[in-house]
Amino acid sequence: MAGVSYSTCFLLSFYSMQVVIADYPFRNTSLSYVERVEDLVYRLNASELILQMSKGGGGKNGGPAPPIPRLGIGPFQWNSECLRGDVGAGNATSFPQSIGLAASFNPQLLYEVSEATAVEVRAKHNNFRKNNDYSDHTGLSCFSPVINIMRHPLWGRNQETYGEDPYLSGLLAQAFVHGLQGQHSKYRHANVVCKHFAAYSGPEDRPVSRLRFNAQVNERDLRMTFLPQFEACVKAGAGGIMCSYNSVNGIPSCTNKKLLTDILRKEWGFDGFVVSDAGAMEFIVIDHMYYPDAITTAVGCAEAGLNLELSPGTFIYRTQIFRYLLKALEMGLVTKQLLIERVKPLFLTRMRLGEFDPPALNPDNRLNLSVIQSPEHRKLAIKAATQSLVLLKNLKEFLPIRKQLTTVAIVGPMADNPSQLMGDYSPDVDPRFMTTPRSGLSPLGVKVLYTAGCNDIACDRYDQSGVKSAVSEADVTVVCLGTGKALETETMDRVDMSLPIGQIQLLKDAVHFGIVQKKKKKKKQKQKLLNYCYYKQIDTVLSPLLVGRGKVVLLLFSASPVDIRFAQTSPEVIAIIQCFFPAQATGSALYNVLTFAMPDSNPSGRLPFTWYSDMSQVSSMTDYNMTNLTYRYFSGDPLYPYGYGLSYTLFRYSDLIITPAKVKIGKKCHSDIQGYQCGEI
């Protein structure tokens, strides 16, 4: 492994030069970070500067940033993912997918989740470093969260976002930054990189690739929809920003000076680094065809404000584009001073993480693997999943189920499918800590019947007889349908809002066979009750004793709205819950909500997006005009509006306070967890 040779080289050099190293000002903890960074970067030669800019991760050829043995500086891995748990680094606590966390409308929950994530990321990093492992997903720089706006229901990456509202997205981004980086310590637990900057909200692959798509955005929509949450992220102190694959008004994001310098740094005062999305610099040449060659691209991106390249170096050019800066320097196309300025934020980040200080000064260095899947973190995963569930329908107050039923059927391709219940960018969960609807809801009935009914999520082979057998015997049928990352994910947009045909048939059959079962049981039970009442000479009302026979509870596991008009209007579908992707605590959270098992398990989730009735209400994915999109501009009649969600209690919102009630001309407000803060433009 490349990381091992790097570290071996570093250790040998370190021990031979430790007396000299101790005298360098960049290791003097009494100086400010800025002073220390200044001292460090001016000691680097051009080749060293360029390598630091080029090695942002992306496989063994993409990273880590190489060591600088003569200064006692070790390798550093930039490429880690921490969207809702430590991703790609072995067993870790997996919290609900971002869109589900957004449904909680609870910034404090995001803070707790990101703080728990940071603890596990740091603990694993300590272990990786001890074992000289600097491969991808071993470091402290998290390329998370995704704060792009959920603009279109078919976009494959909706699940990674915080929904369609820039204000809510900004609040949740701030909470994430504060939790992951820490607020009250000299050192950051980990580093946040908010992405993808900017105006990146689809398409992935339909009708055009994201690698060459040009988002044409008017200034009003840019400022009011696509930028506010990024400003909130910056104001919260995020250490990094990732630029997106697409172009914005004809200029690729990673070479867009208006975005990376004029807005990000000059307007917002950002002092962190900008990293490219994976391979984005190369795609500027081969897909956008914005620059003619690699040298021009390297110079253009550096001048625009890009600091770090994330690339496996395995595409057409077979190396990182920033490596061409050495040739550009020789040709006089770029100055060494520009390279120094671009490298400064990289080492500022590493300073803030405590890399160049005595290890004993940073309490995070004492964390070990015992914190992974700790009881506290598993409890938080259940709490987060419970708060993420949105009750869409509950006829006759059928839920909660307060008594154990005789027979329950749990059916559908999402009923016992851990990988699809996780969603994209999920940690690798030890199976011991995973609960599915099948396992979590088994206590609902004395007898529990299960069938997936489908060969997979696409359900191109549907087992009607198996579904009929299970449903026909059940008092209540729990139908588990959805998309999973098999149908909507990064690189894959949905074709339409419909569920797969097999899944639709499964739901209709569950209703049909449930009705047949209900009629049979009603007739048999009615006769038994009449005989009993005649014998005991009792006059009674039969209907309350028959509640629940043949009823269907629909659980939906998707990031985006699906066409469920049939379920919403069917009286036999007694309840519907939008579950998103609850991750490892899926079954436990569902049991809590369906039975009101705990005082805090009253459904509290609210939709963080508009649930359109059908695609006739939505414009093309490639049209970035916000007219008639999201709750702020939509004039139609959705199936469920933004913020919709039922509860087991009656409530209303009243005496709302908006601060400030009015904003004067010449004032500008940004979101904060405590409300709006306003200042001069």
Side-chain angles (χ1 to χ4, degrees):
M1 179 183 292
V4 175
S5 60
Y6 278 148
S7 56
T8 302
C9 175
F10 162 63
L11 288 172
L12 290 173
S13 300
F14 177 80
Y15 287 121
S16 64
M17 300 175 63
Q18 55 185 320
V19 176
V20 178
I21 289 170
D23 294 333
Y24 285 136
F26 72 81
R27 294 188 180 275
N28 186 343
T29 58
S30 67
L31 299 177
S32 69
Y33 286 147
V34 171
E35 291 173 310
R36 295 170 67 183
V37 168
E38 285 282 325
D39 175 72
L40 193 160
V41 296
Y42 278 100
R43 297 179 184 277
L44 305 182
N45 60 43
S47 295
E48 291 168 335
L49 290 166
I50 291 168
L51 279 175
Q52 293 299 314
M53 295 174 66
S54 302
K55 296 292 186 175
K60 62 181 181 179
N61 295 320
I68 306 172
R70 64 186 180 83
L71 299 178
I73 296 173
F76 186 86
Q77 178 56 250
W78 292 98
N79 184 21
S80 289
E81 293 282 357
C82 321
L83 191 61
R84 35 37 180 275
D86 191 11
V87 179
N91 177 45
T93 309
S94 183
F95 300 99
Q97 179 57 293
S98 296
I99 194 68
L101 292 173
S104 73
F105 279 72
N106 186 353
Q108 178 60 31
L109 180 66
L110 263 291
Y111 179 90
E112 293 172 12
V113 166
S114 58
E115 185 177 47
T117 298
V119 167
E120 296 197 5
V121 167
R122 175 66 79 156
K124 286 192 173 187
H125 170 73
N126 292 343
N127 187 65
F128 285 129
R129 191 174 183 184
K130 182 173 65 176
N131 290 286
N132 298 321
D133 186 350
Y134 292 91
S135 56
D136 277 358
H137 307 297
T138 63
L140 297 173
S141 185
C142 296
F143 293 164
S144 313
V146 174
I147 56 174
N148 300 108
I149 291 302
M150 180 177 171
R151 181 187 60 92
H152 196 281
L154 302 186
W155 185 33
R157 301 191 77 171
N158 283 330
Q159 62 178 285
E160 300 173 50
T161 76
Y162 294 138
E164 68 181 35
D165 182 31
Y167 176 64
L168 176 64
S169 297
L171 287 181
L172 299 181
Q174 287 178 324
F176 188 99
V177 172
H178 292 156
L180 195 85
Q181 293 188 168
Q183 291 180 273
H184 310 297
S185 173
K186 177 182 178 180
Y187 302 108
R188 291 180 173 177
H189 304 311
N191 186 70
V192 168
V193 177
C194 293
K195 62 186 187 184
H196 310 80
F197 193 64
Y200 173 62
S201 295
E204 290 294 294
D205 63 336
R206 294 188 176 97
V208 61
S209 168
R210 61 181 177 166
L211 304 183
R212 64 178 64 96
F213 177 68
N214 176 35
Q216 296 178 304
V217 190
N218 64 54
E219 191 70 13
R220 182 178 186 275
D221 287 337
L222 184 67
R223 296 286 182 168
M224 295 187 67
T225 296
F226 299 107
L227 294 185
Q229 66 277 25
F230 282 97
E231 182 176 7
C233 180
V234 169
K235 298 299 184 184
I241 295 288
M242 178 181 284
C243 53
S244 56
Y245 285 126
N246 59 290
S247 290
V248 178
N249 296 327
I251 304 175
S253 295
C254 291
T255 190
N256 195 315
K257 184 176 180 293
K258 175 182 176 178
L259 293 175
L260 305 189
T261 296
D262 298 344
I263 293 176
L264 192 57
R265 291 189 170 89
K266 292 182 179 179
E267 286 189 28
W268 299 346
F270 178 62
D271 68 352
F273 66 90
V274 179
V275 58
S276 72
D277 206 338
M281 291 183 68
E282 192 162 356
F283 302 142
I284 289 173
V285 185
I286 62 179
D287 285 283
H288 291 279
M289 295 182 284
Y290 187 77
Y291 291 121
D293 53 49
I295 293 177
T296 312
T297 302
V299 173
C301 290
E303 290 180 340
L306 188 66
N307 304 91
L308 182 65
E309 181 177 5
L310 171 63
S311 173
T314 55
F315 300 118
I316 291 178
Y317 285 96
R318 310 301 296 177
T319 189
Q320 287 75 33
I321 299 297
F322 264 158
R323 298 288 291 273
Y324 286 86
L325 284 172
L326 190 59
K327 182 67 174 178
L329 187 66
E330 295 171 356
M331 297 170 64
L333 300 176
V334 69
T335 65
K336 183 182 179 183
Q337 185 59 41
L338 179 63
L339 304 181
I340 288 173
E341 294 303 318
R342 292 296 174 260
V343 169
K344 282 181 181 180
L346 302 180
F347 281 105
L348 176 62
T349 300
R350 295 169 68 169
M351 291 279 183
R352 286 168 167 164
L353 292 168
E355 180 181 349
F356 303 108
D357 293 5
L361 295 181
N362 188 351
D364 283 345
N365 289 328
R366 295 194 288 270
L367 292 171
N368 58 51
L369 297 183
S370 66
V371 303
I372 308 302
Q373 290 281 10
S374 67
E376 294 79 13
H377 290 180
R378 298 201 305 271
K379 184 177 179 180
L380 179 59
I382 295 174
K383 173 184 172 182
T386 300
Q387 291 190 22
S388 74
L389 304 177
V390 180
L391 181 61
L392 299 178
K393 180 181 179 181
N394 190 22
L395 292 182
K396 301 177 182 179
E397 298 182 352
F398 178 74
L399 297 178
I401 300 171
R402 297 189 181 274
K403 293 183 179 181
Q404 191 176 43
L405 302 167
T406 302
T407 306
V408 173
I410 302 175
V411 302
M414 300 295 284
D416 199 30
N417 196 333
S419 67
Q420 297 302 311
L421 293 168
M422 290 291 184
D424 207 1
Y425 286 98
S426 172
D428 306 315
V429 175
D430 187 316
R432 292 177 298 161
F433 305 119
M434 180 74 200
T435 61
T436 66
R438 180 186 182 185
S439 61
L441 298 180
S442 59
L444 285 180
V446 176
K447 182 179 182 181
V448 177
L449 304 169
Y450 161 74
T451 180
C454 298
N455 60 313
D456 55 23
I457 301 301
C459 203
D460 48 14
R461 293 199 303 275
Y462 168 52
D463 177 19
Q464 186 179 56
S465 62
V467 171
K468 179 180 179 180
S469 176
V471 172
S472 297
E473 195 177 336
D475 301 312
V476 173
T477 298
V478 180
V479 178
C480 305
L481 307 178
T483 57
K485 59 186 178 182
L487 299 181
E488 56 174 335
T489 188
E490 183 176 2
T491 73
M492 186 191 303
D493 298 318
R494 289 191 296 160
V495 178
D496 54 42
M497 285 177 58
S498 298
L499 287 167
I501 294 175
Q503 289 196 31
I504 296 171
Q505 189 60 50
L506 188 156
L507 175 61
K508 291 181 176 179
D509 284 348
V511 169
H512 171 70
F513 296 135
I515 291 173
V516 172
Q517 164 70 350
K518 180 171 66 175
K519 288 180 178 178
K520 288 181 179 179
K521 289 197 173 185
K522 273 188 175 181
K523 185 175 180 180
K524 184 183 295 185
Q525 187 178 17
K526 183 175 181 180
Q527 187 59 52
K528 288 176 67 176
L529 286 167
L530 286 173
N531 293 340
Y532 177 81
C533 294
Y534 176 79
Y535 176 76
K536 293 289 188 179
Q537 296 183 340
I538 297 174
D539 186 16
T540 186
V541 179
L542 302 182
S543 57
L545 302 175
L546 300 173
V547 171
R549 294 294 185 188
K551 297 300 183 184
V552 172
V553 175
L554 174 59
L555 304 181
L556 285 169
F557 299 89
S558 70
S560 311
V562 293
D563 188 348
I564 54 167
R565 287 173 291 178
F566 165 76
Q568 177 61 25
T569 57
S570 170
E572 303 303 327
V573 180
I574 200 76
I576 304 173
I577 298 178
Q578 173 63 18
C579 305
F580 305 104
F581 302 117
Q584 72 177 56
T586 296
S588 301
L590 283 168
Y591 182 78
N592 284 347
V593 169
L594 263 64
T595 64
F596 205 173
M598 307 290 289
D600 59 354
S601 56
N602 193 348
S604 60
R606 303 288 180 264
L607 291 178
F609 54 74
T610 301
W611 195 302
Y612 302 104
S613 293
D614 56 64
M615 286 306 298
S616 67
Q617 296 182 326
V618 185
S619 58
S620 167
M621 177 99 71
T622 58
D623 183 359
Y624 265 67
N625 190 314
M626 293 303 297
T627 300
N628 214 35
L629 284 177
T630 76
Y631 80 95
R632 296 187 299 155
Y633 307 112
F634 185 59
S635 59
D637 184 19
L639 187 62
Y640 307 108
Y642 177 90
Y644 180 86
L646 304 177
S647 175
Y648 296 152
T649 58
L650 297 176
F651 64 92
R652 68 167 57 183
Y653 298 111
S654 63
D655 300 324
L656 301 178
I657 298 174
I658 301 175
T659 305
K662 294 182 180 180
V663 180
K664 295 181 180 180
I665 295 175
K667 296 285 185 179
K668 181 180 182 182
C669 298
H670 66 270
S671 60
D672 188 88
I673 292 177
Q674 284 74 38
Y676 270 118
Q677 303 296 321
C678 298
E680 300 291 340
I681 290 181

